Amino acid sequence: MSRKIAILGATGSIGKSTLDLVECSPERFEVVALTAATNAEALADIARRTNAKLAVIADETRLSDLQELLVGSNCRAMAGEAALAEAAAGEAELVIAAIVGCAGLRPVMAAVEAGKTVALANKEALVTAGALMTDAATARGATLLPVDSEHNAIFQCLAGSRADDISKIILTASGGPFRTASAETLAAATPEQAVAHPNWSMGAKISVDSATLMNKGLELIEAHYLFGLPSARIDILIHPQSVIHSMVEFVDGSVLAQLGSPDMRIPIAYALAWPERMETPAQRLDLAAIARLDFEAPDMTRFPTLRLAREALEAGGAAPIVLNAANEVAVASFLAGAIRFTDIARAVEEALEDSRFAAPRSIAEVLDIDRATRQRVDSTMKANCH
Ligand code: NAD
Ligand code: MG
């Protein structure tokens, strides 16, 4: 029996890896809905290849192009925010949430509120609305399956254990392209250097986050909401080879780890086939060739984003929303060449310092805080540039 799936963010890096798995095991899946931001050509191409029923483009100005590209297919074209939510909450049993940034929040919540099984890659949605989302999942009987490799590893290590038996979670981090870089090199880092990750091939935003280590900071907050542990029981450990994807330490002193080659198709496949497993074309680990696994403590001075994310998690309320929004704006300006690499953490720190928001009670309030923070960070940056 095949499962009906929707892929939100089908044209991105996670979207492509998901489609790769779907095309390797076509008997397992029926693609019912696909979404993309602006690339109507790529979306229409995927819709034809997968025989999808619904294709949604976020950018409404691209709707007529999408309609034209889909003439003669069985696929319906739609556009805009309500249509994204429809793709998430419609016919699919399993929703792959692979939009980047807080832009994915409403569609993810639509899937959760419709009681779907959600394979969650879009960490920013959980960072900004963690409590609202996990509460809604419980209330609506939705299941959140982590796709992020670290959280997927932890989910695999936790299988069948009681909450009382867990002592801590150890999130591993490759350290990114600047793990050994000096403070001077960091200040002069270019977007090209920042997106050139040593182990993983990913979208531009998460690649910059991996270079600043904000990615690990966002993952710390993500782990807190997914697994219900406080900040003090979630450690971060640098492991440059990206072979161990994370670990769980239990009260008896046992530590379980999940290993695999750094290929997102492995954690995506786990979420797609859960509670079973499926074949993947991913390369098998050759530990004799890898020969050694290294570990080191993270450097909080060169990578202040780790401290900022932990502070935001411990402050709670709206702090993670401010952290995330300031980071999204700063990363976009860095990629556009408007600010330096080290200005990203500075912008986030400033935004957290002068933010005064109460904890959000609804997704609308989360999005208000997100919008207000973006405007504030944007105008501060423009003022600093002139
Ligand atoms: P990407 O930039 O390659 O793709 C993003 C997708 O989201 C695209 O399909 C794009 O069209 C869509 N999108 C972008 N902005 C949108 C908007 N405003 N409205 C609607 N759709 C929009 O990103 P990615 O690397 O695939 O990452 C996706 C998510 O998965 C991110 O949250 C990232 O942190 C997470 N993640 C990615 C990886 C990875 O290996 N790429 C690993 C772990 C987690
Ligand atoms: Mg990750």
Side-chain angles (χ1 to χ4, degrees):
M1 254 229 345
S2 71
R3 274 180 106 190
K4 292 183 174 171
I5 65 166
I7 309 174
L8 314 179
T11 53
S13 164
I14 293 287
K16 286 201 179 93
S17 294
T18 306
L19 286 160
D20 215 17
L21 292 167
V22 167
E23 288 174 342
C24 285
S25 303
E27 70 294 345
R28 281 180 165 267
F29 306 103
E30 182 190 346
V31 177
V32 292
L34 298 165
T35 81
T38 54
N39 191 340
E41 291 75 15
L43 180 61
D45 176 56
I46 301 167
R48 284 185 184 276
R49 257 169 41 214
T50 57
N51 215 359
K53 295 183 184 165
L54 172 64
V56 176
I57 192 96
D59 178 355
E60 281 161 307
T61 68
R62 301 291 332 260
L63 178 60
S64 55
D65 294 329
L66 182 63
Q67 282 166 330
E68 209 164 293
L69 288 157
L70 288 172
V71 166
S73 74
N74 298 318
C75 186
R76 203 154 49 97
M78 291 178 78
E81 202 172 296
L84 287 175
E86 193 170 320
E91 221 189 312
E93 302 152 59
L94 173 62
V95 176
I96 292 83
I99 292 175
V100 60
C102 192
L105 177 54
R106 273 206 193 277
V108 172
M109 274 306 282
V112 168
E113 274 167 358
K116 306 289 185 191
T117 298
V118 180
L120 186 74
N122 181 201
K123 64 191 83 184
E124 298 90 347
L126 197 60
V127 166
T128 54
L132 293 168
M133 195 181 293
T134 51
D135 287 353
T138 308
R140 303 299 178 102
T143 305
L144 292 176
L145 299 174
V147 165
D148 213 345
S149 57
E150 297 74 6
H151 307 76
N152 190 270
I154 293 161
F155 187 66
Q156 295 195 40
C157 294
L158 285 176
S161 29
R162 301 179 315 145
D164 285 351
D165 292 341
I166 303 160
S167 83
K168 67 177 180 184
I169 281 173
I170 303 157
L171 284 177
T172 52
S174 68
F178 304 136
R179 181 174 60 87
T180 58
S182 66
E184 296 70 40
T185 306
L186 287 177
T190 65
E192 292 68 34
Q193 292 168 329
V195 299
H197 196 280
N199 306 340
W200 298 94
S201 150
M202 311 181 285
K205 192 263 178 182
I206 183 177
S207 296
V208 176
D209 286 347
S210 299
T212 60
L213 294 201
M214 178 58 93
N215 183 49
K216 212 51 53 181
L218 297 174
E219 291 182 354
L220 167 76
I221 302 174
E222 183 184 13
H224 164 76
Y225 287 116
L226 283 171
F227 306 114
L229 291 187
S231 168
R233 287 167 62 200
I234 311 174
D235 285 357
I236 292 171
L237 177 68
I238 304 292
H239 163 46
Q241 289 90 354
S242 299
V243 167
I244 293 181
H245 298 302
S246 278
M247 300 179 248
V248 178
E249 183 192 277
F250 294 89
V251 289
D252 57 4
S254 284
V255 177
L256 294 191
Q258 184 260 351
L259 287 71
S261 26
D263 183 329
M264 284 307 294
R265 292 177 299 184
I266 298 175
I268 297 170
Y270 190 78
L272 289 179
W274 182 86
E276 299 171 8
R277 287 184 188 264
M278 62 186 275
E279 298 271 343
T280 78
Q283 208 183 350
R284 304 295 119 144
L285 264 189
D286 181 349
L287 286 171
I290 292 165
R292 53 183 279 181
L293 299 179
D294 295 312
F295 304 97
E296 63 199 41
D299 181 342
M300 307 294 237
T301 315
R302 282 182 308 131
F303 299 104
T305 54
L306 288 177
R307 170 179 56 82
L308 297 172
R310 205 176 273 285
E311 284 170 6
L313 171 58
E314 288 167 6
I321 309 171
V322 173
L323 174 95
N324 179 69
N327 182 59
E328 285 195 33
V329 174
V331 169
S333 336
F334 168 69
L335 284 170
I339 64 169
R340 284 181 310 174
F341 182 75
T342 40
D343 291 335
I344 300 173
R346 194 162 307 133
V348 173
E349 178 140 40
E350 279 171 18
L352 283 167
E353 271 162 10
D354 54 40
S355 71
R356 300 271 178 281
F357 294 111
R361 286 157 303 176
S362 65
I363 296 299
E365 286 185 11
V366 172
L367 294 171
D368 284 345
I369 298 166
D370 175 72
R371 208 172 302 116
T373 306
R374 282 167 195 272
Q375 281 166 1
R376 204 152 41 85
V377 174
D378 214 34
S379 50
T380 312
M381 276 180 184
K382 289 205 174 96
N384 290 346
C385 284
H386 293 299

